[in-house]
Amino acid sequence: MNFKKHPHHEPITGEGWREFSSICINLSSLDIGPHAKALLGEMIIAVKSGMPIVVIILAATIVDIVMNEERPDLLHNVDNSYQNGLDWLNAKERRQLNWLRGFRNKLVHYQGVVTGMSGTDVDHDYLSKEADKALSALSPLLAGFERF
């Protein structure tokens, strides 16, 4: 099997990364469990390595883990969305978490062609922007678990 070799991609940067990195500059300041912290560390490596699919998948997974570890009563309502609870998040931030979960599911659970998955440089650029958007979606949730 012959796999296309990707050139070294640049780290994922943008407003989402800036917001995320200001919150996660010190993982020990986040009042979250060890499972979420371990995945956050791995996600930071993926961000710096320019691996947008990994970042998107881990960001959504971290949301689920944080909610299960820290606030299982607020995880989601019957339609599998983050609408109830999370009182420190506004409606837009909750919608971003719902978008993130949906996008991760499209990437992981193949049900047809998904934009960005054909392996071209254009696709990589698109997914890098979506990964930055994923970091932006995750950041307000993590900010609610900061210890000062």
Side-chain angles (χ1 to χ4, degrees):
M1 188 175 264
N2 189 7
F3 292 99
K4 178 182 175 186
K5 292 187 178 184
H6 291 282
H8 177 345
H9 291 289
E10 296 296 317
I12 295 163
T13 58
E15 190 58 39
W17 168 246
R18 283 187 285 282
E19 184 180 352
F20 174 82
S21 62
S22 71
I23 294 164
C24 293
I25 194 162
N26 180 3
L27 294 182
S28 65
S29 70
L30 295 175
D31 190 18
I32 58 176
H35 194 127
K37 280 185 184 177
L39 290 178
L40 273 169
E42 295 287 321
M43 189 177 73
I44 291 167
I45 293 168
V47 168
K48 292 178 179 182
S49 300
M51 301 171 67
I53 295 170
V54 174
V55 170
I56 293 163
I57 292 168
L58 285 176
T61 303
I62 289 164
V63 170
D64 290 342
I65 290 167
V66 165
M67 297 309 295
N68 277 310
E69 282 182 337
E70 305 303 327
R71 306 289 297 269
D73 56 317
L74 301 180
L75 182 57
H76 51 71
N77 58 18
V78 289
D79 71 353
N80 216 22
S81 64
Y82 299 109
Q83 296 300 325
N84 299 319
L86 304 173
D87 55 349
W88 66 94
L89 299 178
N90 63 39
K92 178 184 176 189
E93 292 165 340
R94 285 186 223 119
R95 283 192 302 273
Q96 289 175 321
L97 292 177
N98 290 333
W99 164 83
L100 177 57
R101 171 181 266 187
F103 194 62
R104 182 264 321 262
N105 288 346
K106 284 182 184 179
L107 295 176
V108 174
H109 306 294
Y110 182 80
Q111 293 183 353
V113 177
V114 176
T115 302
M117 296 296 285
S118 66
T120 68
D121 287 338
V122 171
D123 287 327
H124 185 79
D125 291 343
Y126 168 78
L127 288 171
S128 292
K129 289 176 184 158
E130 294 300 284
D132 191 62
K133 190 174 163 184
L135 294 171
S136 185
L138 177 60
S139 296
L141 175 68
L142 294 178
F145 290 99
E146 281 185 298
R147 288 181 291 185
F148 298 100

